[in-house]
Amino acid sequence: MTAFPTYEMILYDEIEGKPDEAVLEKIKAFFVSIFSNANTAKFDKKLNQASNIFTVLALLEKRIVGFKIGYQIEPGTFYSWVGGVDKSFRQRGIAAELMKRQHDWCARNDFQIVKTKTTNQFKSMLILNIKSGFDIIEVYSDINKERKIVLEKHLDKKQK
């Protein structure tokens, strides 16, 4: 039987603004490890164009086991862009905690809306979003005919 680290061993680090290069390299390496279609050039381009970036990392002994990054897309609206949890650490509440910390930060920083996009491929993320108060506001097919699901959540002023 494999022993898993307990939830209490996971530490969270919140980063306002673009992460420094050393942290960014660790995030990108983790990003590539969990997404088969990861494109680090596109990742870099998006971060370089984004403003009011906020990142939450889930760490086990300084190793990233989960992350969530987002940025402002217009005044009052934050885009929860990309995130994920290491396969061996899923179903332990880490993604929900990352989301909670992101939304708490957004509320404290005067964002009223959080938007995100997902696909049917990531059903657990879709379910977490809906359970966390997101509404589906649009479904469309991109240029590759992949169906995209756009979700939006209005933040509760009490979160501040």
Side-chain angles (χ1 to χ4, degrees):
M1 187 165 133
T2 305
F4 292 105
T6 63
Y7 179 75
E8 291 76 30
M9 297 172 78
I10 304 296
L11 300 176
Y12 294 88
D13 188 17
E14 299 181 358
I15 304 166
E16 293 188 24
K18 185 177 176 185
D20 68 41
E21 285 304 315
V23 172
L24 199 51
E25 288 306 312
K26 289 179 184 178
I27 292 169
K28 288 192 300 189
F30 182 76
F31 171 67
V32 167
S33 77
I34 62 171
F35 292 108
S36 59
N37 63 343
N39 180 330
T40 57
K42 188 176 175 182
F43 186 96
D44 286 336
K45 183 178 179 186
K46 184 72 77 174
L47 271 187
N48 288 331
Q49 293 172 343
S51 64
N52 215 351
I53 299 166
F54 181 68
T55 304
V56 186
L57 303 176
L59 304 163
L60 177 66
E61 298 172 2
K62 298 184 182 179
R63 177 173 69 98
I64 297 173
V65 296
F67 80 109
K68 192 160 196 65
I69 299 176
Y71 53 87
Q72 180 176 325
I73 54 174
E74 59 188 54
T77 303
F78 189 83
Y79 182 62
S80 183
W81 169 45
V82 66
V85 175
D86 182 294
K87 236 180 230 184
S88 60
F89 289 85
R90 292 181 186 161
Q91 301 302 314
R92 297 179 195 197
I94 294 171
E97 182 65 21
L98 292 167
M99 179 185 290
K100 178 191 176 309
R101 287 171 180 265
Q102 182 187 71
H103 294 183
D104 288 349
W105 180 88
C106 286
R108 287 192 312 271
N109 286 274
D110 298 321
F111 289 98
Q112 296 86 41
I113 297 170
V114 177
K115 286 188 175 185
T116 193
K117 247 189 264 187
T118 191
T119 67
N120 275 328
Q121 176 186 355
F122 302 112
K123 287 187 187 339
S124 60
M125 195 68 233
L126 179 59
I127 291 165
L128 177 60
N129 284 325
I130 291 168
K131 283 183 174 180
S132 300
F134 279 86
D135 293 314
I136 296 171
I137 61 167
E138 181 182 358
V139 177
Y140 68 94
S141 295
D142 67 10
I143 59 172
N144 299 318
K145 305 247 188 278
E146 183 178 26
R147 190 152 304 192
K148 302 286 185 173
I149 304 164
V150 182
L151 299 107
E152 179 177 278
K153 177 182 178 177
H154 290 264
L155 295 175
D156 186 353
K157 290 180 178 27
K158 291 182 277 185
Q159 280 182 286
K160 293 182 183 184

